[in-house]
Coordinates of all heavy atoms in Angstrom, one line a residue:
R92 N 9.9 -64.8 -86.4 CA 8.7 -64.5 -85.7 C 8.8 -64.7 -84.2 O 7.8 -64.5 -83.5 CB 7.5 -65.2 -86.2 CG 7.2 -65.0 -87.7 CD 6.0 -65.9 -88.2 NE 5.9 -65.9 -89.6 CZ 5.1 -66.8 -90.3 NH1 4.4 -67.6 -89.6 NH2 5.1 -66.8 -91.6
C93 N 9.9 -65.1 -83.7 CA 10.1 -65.5 -82.3 C 11.1 -64.6 -81.7 O 12.1 -64.1 -82.3 CB 10.6 -66.9 -82.2 SG 9.4 -68.2 -82.5
R94 N 10.9 -64.4 -80.4 CA 11.9 -63.7 -79.5 C 12.0 -64.4 -78.2 O 10.9 -64.6 -77.6 CB 11.5 -62.2 -79.3 CG 12.5 -61.4 -78.5 CD 12.1 -60.0 -78.2 NE 11.0 -60.0 -77.3 CZ 11.1 -60.1 -76.0 NH1 12.4 -60.1 -75.4 NH2 10.1 -60.1 -75.1
V95 N 13.2 -64.8 -77.8 CA 13.4 -65.6 -76.6 C 14.5 -64.9 -75.8 O 15.6 -64.6 -76.3 CB 13.8 -67.0 -76.9 CG1 14.0 -67.8 -75.6 CG2 12.7 -67.7 -77.7
A96 N 14.2 -64.6 -74.5 CA 15.2 -64.0 -73.6 C 15.0 -64.6 -72.3 O 13.9 -65.0 -71.8 CB 14.9 -62.5 -73.6
S97 N 16.1 -64.6 -71.5 CA 16.1 -65.2 -70.2 C 16.3 -64.1 -69.2 O 16.9 -63.0 -69.4 CB 17.2 -66.2 -70.0 OG 18.5 -65.7 -70.2
L98 N 15.9 -64.3 -68.0 CA 16.0 -63.3 -66.9 C 16.2 -64.1 -65.6 O 15.5 -65.0 -65.2 CB 14.7 -62.5 -66.8 CG 14.6 -61.4 -65.7 CD1 15.6 -60.3 -66.0 CD2 13.2 -60.9 -65.6
A99 N 17.3 -63.8 -64.9 CA 17.7 -64.4 -63.7 C 16.7 -64.1 -62.6 O 16.1 -63.0 -62.6 CB 19.1 -64.1 -63.2
A100 N 16.5 -65.0 -61.6 CA 15.5 -64.8 -60.6 C 16.3 -64.4 -59.3 O 17.4 -64.9 -59.0 CB 14.7 -66.0 -60.3
D101 N 15.6 -63.6 -58.5 CA 16.2 -63.2 -57.1 C 15.9 -64.3 -56.1 O 16.6 -64.5 -55.2 CB 15.6 -61.9 -56.6 CG 16.1 -60.7 -57.5 OD1 17.1 -60.8 -58.1 OD2 15.3 -59.7 -57.6
D102 N 14.8 -65.1 -56.4 CA 14.3 -66.1 -55.5 C 15.2 -67.4 -55.7 O 15.4 -67.9 -56.8 CB 12.9 -66.5 -55.9 CG 12.3 -67.5 -54.9 OD1 13.1 -68.1 -54.1 OD2 11.1 -67.7 -54.9
S103 N 15.8 -67.8 -54.6 CA 16.8 -69.0 -54.7 C 16.1 -70.3 -55.1 O 16.7 -71.2 -55.5 CB 17.5 -69.2 -53.4 OG 16.6 -69.4 -52.4
N104 N 14.7 -70.3 -55.0 CA 14.0 -71.5 -55.3 C 13.7 -71.6 -56.8 O 13.2 -72.6 -57.3 CB 12.6 -71.5 -54.6 CG 12.8 -71.7 -53.1 OD1 13.7 -72.4 -52.7 ND2 12.0 -71.0 -52.3
K105 N 14.1 -70.6 -57.6 CA 13.9 -70.6 -59.0 C 15.3 -70.3 -59.7 O 16.1 -69.6 -59.2 CB 12.9 -69.6 -59.5 CG 11.5 -69.7 -58.8 CD 10.6 -68.6 -59.4 CE 9.3 -68.6 -58.6 NZ 9.4 -68.0 -57.3
K106 N 15.4 -70.8 -60.9 CA 16.6 -70.5 -61.7 C 16.4 -69.1 -62.4 O 17.3 -68.3 -62.6 CB 16.9 -71.5 -62.8 CG 17.6 -72.8 -62.2 CD 19.0 -72.4 -61.7 CE 19.7 -73.7 -61.3 NZ 20.1 -74.5 -62.4
G107 N 15.2 -68.9 -62.8 CA 14.9 -67.6 -63.5 C 13.6 -67.7 -64.4 O 12.7 -68.5 -64.1
Y108 N 13.6 -66.9 -65.4 CA 12.4 -66.9 -66.3 C 12.8 -66.8 -67.8 O 13.9 -66.4 -68.1 CB 11.6 -65.6 -66.0 CG 11.1 -65.5 -64.6 CD1 11.9 -64.8 -63.6 CD2 10.0 -66.1 -64.1 CE1 11.5 -64.7 -62.3 CE2 9.6 -66.0 -62.8 CZ 10.3 -65.3 -61.9 OH 10.0 -65.2 -60.6
L109 N 11.9 -67.3 -68.6 CA 12.0 -67.1 -70.0 C 10.9 -66.2 -70.5 O 9.8 -66.4 -70.1 CB 11.9 -68.5 -70.8 CG 13.1 -69.4 -70.9 CD1 12.7 -70.5 -71.9 CD2 14.3 -68.7 -71.4
E110 N 11.3 -65.2 -71.2 CA 10.3 -64.3 -71.8 C 10.2 -64.6 -73.3 O 11.3 -64.4 -74.0 CB 10.6 -62.8 -71.6 CG 10.6 -62.5 -70.1 CD 10.9 -61.0 -69.8 OE1 11.5 -60.4 -70.6 OE2 10.5 -60.5 -68.7
V111 N 9.1 -65.1 -73.8 CA 9.0 -65.5 -75.2 C 7.9 -64.8 -75.9 O 6.7 -64.7 -75.4 CB 8.7 -67.1 -75.2 CG1 8.6 -67.5 -76.7 CG2 9.8 -67.8 -74.5
R112 N 8.2 -64.3 -77.1 CA 7.1 -63.8 -78.0 C 7.1 -64.7 -79.2 O 8.1 -64.9 -79.9 CB 7.5 -62.4 -78.5 CG 6.6 -61.9 -79.6 CD 6.8 -60.4 -79.9 NE 6.3 -59.6 -78.8 CZ 6.3 -58.3 -78.8 NH1 6.8 -57.6 -79.8 NH2 5.8 -57.6 -77.8
A113 N 5.9 -65.3 -79.4 CA 5.8 -66.3 -80.5 C 4.3 -66.5 -80.7 O 3.4 -66.1 -80.0 CB 6.4 -67.6 -80.1
E114 N 4.0 -67.2 -81.8 CA 2.6 -67.6 -82.2 C 2.0 -68.6 -81.2 O 2.8 -69.3 -80.5 CB 2.6 -68.2 -83.6 CG 3.1 -67.2 -84.7 CD 3.3 -68.0 -86.0 OE1 3.0 -69.1 -86.1 OE2 3.8 -67.3 -86.9
P115 N 0.7 -68.6 -81.0 CA 0.1 -69.5 -80.0 C 0.5 -71.0 -80.2 O 0.8 -71.6 -79.2 CB -1.4 -69.3 -80.3 CG -1.5 -67.9 -80.8 CD -0.3 -67.7 -81.7
A116 N 0.6 -71.5 -81.4 CA 1.0 -72.9 -81.6 C 2.4 -73.1 -81.1 O 2.7 -74.2 -80.6 CB 0.9 -73.2 -83.1
V117 N 3.3 -72.2 -81.3 CA 4.7 -72.3 -80.8 C 4.7 -72.2 -79.3 O 5.4 -73.0 -78.7 CB 5.6 -71.2 -81.5 CG1 7.0 -71.3 -80.8 CG2 5.7 -71.4 -83.0
Q118 N 3.9 -71.4 -78.7 CA 3.9 -71.3 -77.3 C 3.4 -72.6 -76.7 O 3.9 -73.0 -75.6 CB 2.9 -70.1 -76.8 CG 3.4 -68.7 -77.3 CD 4.5 -68.2 -76.5 OE1 5.3 -68.9 -75.8 NE2 4.7 -66.9 -76.5
E119 N 2.5 -73.2 -77.3 CA 2.0 -74.5 -76.8 C 3.1 -75.6 -76.8 O 3.3 -76.4 -75.9 CB 0.8 -75.0 -77.7 CG -0.5 -74.3 -77.5 CD -1.6 -74.8 -78.3 OE1 -1.4 -75.9 -78.9 OE2 -2.6 -74.1 -78.5
K120 N 3.9 -75.6 -77.9 CA 5.1 -76.5 -78.0 C 6.1 -76.2 -76.9 O 6.7 -77.1 -76.3 CB 5.7 -76.4 -79.4 CG 4.8 -76.9 -80.5 CD 5.4 -76.6 -81.9 CE 6.8 -77.3 -82.1 NZ 7.3 -77.0 -83.4
I121 N 6.3 -74.9 -76.7 CA 7.3 -74.5 -75.6 C 6.8 -75.0 -74.3 O 7.6 -75.5 -73.4 CB 7.6 -73.0 -75.7 CG1 8.3 -72.7 -77.0 CG2 8.4 -72.6 -74.4 CD1 8.5 -71.2 -77.2
T122 N 5.5 -74.8 -74.0 CA 4.9 -75.2 -72.7 C 5.1 -76.7 -72.5 O 5.5 -77.1 -71.4 CB 3.4 -74.8 -72.7 OG1 3.3 -73.4 -72.8 CG2 2.8 -75.3 -71.4
R123 N 4.9 -77.5 -73.5 CA 5.0 -78.9 -73.4 C 6.5 -79.3 -73.2 O 6.8 -80.2 -72.4 CB 4.4 -79.6 -74.6 CG 2.9 -79.6 -74.7 CD 2.4 -80.6 -75.8 NE 2.8 -80.3 -77.1 CZ 2.2 -79.5 -78.0 NH1 1.0 -79.0 -77.6 NH2 2.7 -79.3 -79.2
A124 N 7.4 -78.7 -74.0 CA 8.8 -79.0 -73.9 C 9.3 -78.7 -72.5 O 10.1 -79.5 -71.9 CB 9.6 -78.3 -74.9
L125 N 9.0 -77.5 -71.9 CA 9.5 -77.2 -70.6 C 8.9 -78.1 -69.5 O 9.5 -78.4 -68.5 CB 9.1 -75.7 -70.3 CG 9.9 -74.7 -71.1 CD1 9.4 -73.3 -70.8 CD2 11.4 -74.8 -70.8
A126 N 7.6 -78.4 -69.7 CA 7.0 -79.3 -68.7 C 7.7 -80.7 -68.7 O 7.8 -81.3 -67.6 CB 5.5 -79.5 -69.1
R127 N 8.2 -81.1 -69.8 CA 8.9 -82.4 -69.9 C 10.3 -82.3 -69.4 O 10.8 -83.2 -68.7 CB 9.0 -82.8 -71.4 CG 9.6 -84.2 -71.6 CD 9.6 -84.6 -73.1 NE 10.3 -83.7 -73.9 CZ 9.8 -82.8 -74.8 NH1 8.5 -82.7 -74.9 NH2 10.6 -82.0 -75.5
E128 N 11.0 -81.2 -69.6 CA 12.5 -81.1 -69.3 C 12.8 -80.4 -68.0 O 13.8 -80.6 -67.4 CB 13.2 -80.3 -70.4 CG 13.1 -81.0 -71.8 CD 13.9 -82.4 -71.8 OE1 14.8 -82.5 -71.0 OE2 13.5 -83.3 -72.5
D129 N 11.9 -79.5 -67.5 CA 12.2 -78.7 -66.3 C 11.5 -79.3 -65.1 O 10.8 -78.7 -64.4 CB 11.7 -77.2 -66.5 CG 12.2 -76.3 -65.4 OD1 13.3 -76.5 -65.0 OD2 11.5 -75.4 -65.0
G130 N 11.8 -80.6 -65.0 CA 11.2 -81.3 -63.8 C 12.2 -81.3 -62.6 O 13.1 -80.4 -62.6
A131 N 12.0 -82.1 -61.7 CA 12.9 -82.2 -60.5 C 14.3 -82.5 -61.0 O 14.6 -83.1 -62.0 CB 12.5 -83.3 -59.6
P132 N 15.3 -81.9 -60.4 CA 16.7 -82.1 -60.8 C 17.1 -83.5 -60.9 O 16.8 -84.3 -60.0 CB 17.6 -81.3 -59.8 CG 16.7 -81.2 -58.6 CD 15.3 -81.1 -59.1
R133 N 17.9 -83.8 -61.9 CA 18.3 -85.2 -62.1 C 19.3 -85.6 -61.1 O 20.2 -84.8 -60.6 CB 18.9 -85.3 -63.5 CG 19.4 -86.7 -63.8 CD 20.0 -86.8 -65.2 NE 20.6 -88.1 -65.5 CZ 21.2 -88.4 -66.6 NH1 21.2 -87.5 -67.6 NH2 21.8 -89.5 -66.8
T134 N 19.3 -86.9 -60.6 CA 20.3 -87.4 -59.8 C 21.1 -88.5 -60.6 O 20.6 -89.1 -61.5 CB 19.7 -88.0 -58.5 OG1 18.8 -89.1 -58.9 CG2 19.0 -87.0 -57.7
Q135 N 22.4 -88.7 -60.2 CA 23.2 -89.6 -60.9 C 24.2 -90.2 -60.0 O 24.8 -89.5 -59.2 CB 23.9 -88.8 -62.1 CG 25.0 -89.7 -62.8 CD 24.3 -90.8 -63.6 OE1 23.3 -90.6 -64.3 NE2 24.8 -92.0 -63.4
S136 N 24.4 -91.5 -60.1 CA 25.4 -92.2 -59.3 C 26.7 -92.3 -60.1 O 26.7 -92.5 -61.3 CB 25.0 -93.6 -58.9 OG 23.8 -93.6 -58.1
F137 N 27.8 -92.0 -59.4 CA 29.2 -92.1 -60.0 C 30.0 -93.0 -59.1 O 29.9 -93.1 -57.9 CB 29.8 -90.7 -60.0 CG 29.2 -89.7 -60.9 CD1 28.2 -88.8 -60.4 CD2 29.5 -89.7 -62.3 CE1 27.6 -87.9 -61.3 CE2 28.8 -88.8 -63.1 CZ 27.9 -87.9 -62.6
Q138 N 30.9 -93.7 -59.8 CA 32.0 -94.5 -59.1 C 33.3 -93.9 -59.5 O 33.6 -93.7 -60.7 CB 31.9 -96.0 -59.5 CG 32.9 -96.8 -58.7 CD 33.0 -98.2 -59.1 OE1 33.1 -98.5 -60.3 NE2 33.0 -99.2 -58.2
V139 N 34.1 -93.6 -58.4 CA 35.4 -93.0 -58.6 C 36.4 -94.1 -58.2 O 36.4 -94.7 -57.1 CB 35.7 -91.8 -57.8 CG1 37.1 -91.2 -58.1 CG2 34.6 -90.7 -58.1
L140 N 37.4 -94.4 -59.1 CA 38.4 -95.4 -58.9 C 39.8 -94.7 -58.8 O 40.1 -93.8 -59.6 CB 38.5 -96.5 -60.0 CG 37.3 -97.4 -60.2 CD1 37.5 -98.3 -61.3 CD2 36.9 -98.1 -58.9
L141 N 40.5 -95.0 -57.8 CA 41.9 -94.5 -57.7 C 42.9 -95.6 -57.9 O 42.9 -96.6 -57.1 CB 42.1 -93.9 -56.3 CG 43.5 -93.2 -56.0 CD1 43.6 -92.0 -56.9 CD2 43.6 -92.8 -54.6
L142 N 43.8 -95.5 -58.9 CA 44.7 -96.5 -59.2 C 46.1 -95.9 -59.0 O 46.4 -94.7 -59.2 CB 44.6 -96.9 -60.7 CG 43.6 -98.0 -61.0 CD1 42.2 -97.6 -60.6 CD2 43.6 -98.3 -62.5

Side-chain angles (χ1 to χ4, degrees):
R92 300 179 194 168
C93 287
R94 185 183 69 83
V95 180
S97 61
L98 180 67
D101 295 330
D102 186 347
S103 61
N104 292 324
K105 305 181 185 71
K106 282 295 186 71
Y108 303 93
L109 279 189
E110 294 181 339
V111 180
R112 170 170 290 181
E114 299 168 5
V117 174
Q118 297 284 19
E119 289 180 14
K120 291 172 63 179
I121 292 173
T122 299
R123 290 195 297 269
L125 289 175
R127 183 177 64 251
E128 297 296 332
D129 190 36
R133 178 179 173 183
T134 60
Q135 175 65 50
S136 295
F137 295 95
Q138 184 187 44
V139 182
L140 297 179
L141 183 66
L142 277 59

